[in-house]
Amino acid sequence: YIISGAPSIRSNNQVYVDKLNELFDRNFLKILKRVTTDVYNNGLGWLFLYVDEKGDLKFKRLNSVEVIPVWLDNEHEELDYAIRVYSRELYRNGTYNTERYVEIYRKTGVEYYKLDNTKLGFVEKKAYLSVDNKPYNWQKIPLICFKADELEQPLLKRVKSLQDALNMLVSDFMNNMQEDSRNTILIIRNYDGENL
């Protein structure tokens, strides 16, 4: 609903507009739609910026239930670092095995760990990008946080009391109807514009 339309980019510099339209293509809009869904389901949505092997700027959605942000400020505007804990199923020797991984995103790069039961084993540390085998990092952590509001609450938490009240009304109505169905009359007026 919120991002149903493609953004329109206008500028006096047509080359700049063309480059931005290449960057914000259909694939980006799909990713942005999934991030927006995360915002309403979980309170926060995460978009990771990276540079691929060709040198192009790309975007990746991180599952918001996997990301643990550690903020520098009370307003939750600047990250100190972020922890990502996720699982991956790997097929080995005829069976599926679940392996757990931890990534820590800092200004100095990404630290990769493997989680075995309760032991965290260091794997490697990488910069966010490299040019001619020389590592480079961004000035800020390349994670963009999306929020529905300043409370960072999922939509369900905001409407749960209303949903509970509706459920109770329907439940009471059903109980009353089952007790004495001959005396229960349900009147529906102007439902969806129909003449009932």
Side-chain angles (χ1 to χ4, degrees), residues 3-9 24 29:
I3 57 166
S4 59
S8 60
I9 300 169
F24 301 130
L29 293 177

Side-chain angles (χ1 to χ4, degrees), residues 34-196:
R34 292 184 67 201
V35 169
T36 306
T37 304
D38 285 344
V39 168
Y40 283 99
N41 288 338
N42 303 309
L44 295 174
W46 294 96
L47 193 63
F48 177 65
L49 284 83
Y50 68 98
V51 177
D52 68 3
E53 298 82 25
K54 298 177 187 175
D56 295 332
L57 182 65
K58 296 289 183 180
F59 304 94
K60 177 182 176 185
R61 170 196 163 261
L62 297 183
N63 190 340
S64 59
V65 297
E66 297 174 348
V67 179
I68 304 165
V70 179
W71 301 100
L72 277 173
D73 56 344
N74 290 335
E75 290 78 27
H76 293 190
E77 292 178 358
E78 190 173 350
L79 280 173
D80 187 16
Y81 60 93
I83 304 167
R84 180 180 176 219
V85 181
Y86 63 97
S87 301
R88 185 181 293 160
E89 280 195 8
L90 300 173
Y91 186 75
R92 287 187 187 150
N93 301 328
T95 59
Y96 283 99
N97 296 317
T98 302
E99 293 185 353
R100 297 187 72 200
Y101 299 94
V102 175
E103 297 173 353
I104 301 177
Y105 297 86
R106 300 181 189 272
K107 289 181 182 177
T108 57
V110 184
E111 299 169 12
Y112 297 92
Y113 298 87
K114 186 174 180 184
L115 187 62
D116 289 322
N117 295 327
T118 58
K119 293 184 180 180
L120 194 63
F122 179 77
V123 177
E124 66 179 328
K125 181 176 180 176
K126 284 187 177 179
Y128 289 109
L129 59 119
S130 65
V131 177
D132 297 328
N133 293 327
K134 188 174 180 184
Y136 291 96
N137 287 309
W138 303 98
Q139 289 181 348
K140 292 186 174 186
I141 298 171
L143 281 173
I144 301 172
C145 180
F146 290 80
K147 308 173 191 179
D149 59 16
E150 66 277 354
L151 298 176
E152 300 172 7
Q153 292 180 343
L155 182 62
L156 182 61
K157 191 165 186 174
R158 288 184 270 159
V159 298
K160 187 179 181 316
S161 59
L162 295 172
Q163 186 63 50
D164 289 345
L166 288 172
N167 289 344
M168 188 177 294
L169 284 172
V170 170
S171 177
D172 288 345
F173 173 76
M174 292 301 291
N175 289 340
N176 291 337
M177 194 165 108
Q178 287 174 352
E179 287 175 10
D180 193 1
S181 61
R182 293 168 289 144
N183 293 333
T184 303
I185 299 171
L186 179 64
I187 299 172
I188 300 175
R189 290 192 179 131
N190 200 21
Y191 177 75
D192 203 22
E194 296 294 322
N195 184 2
L196 301 177

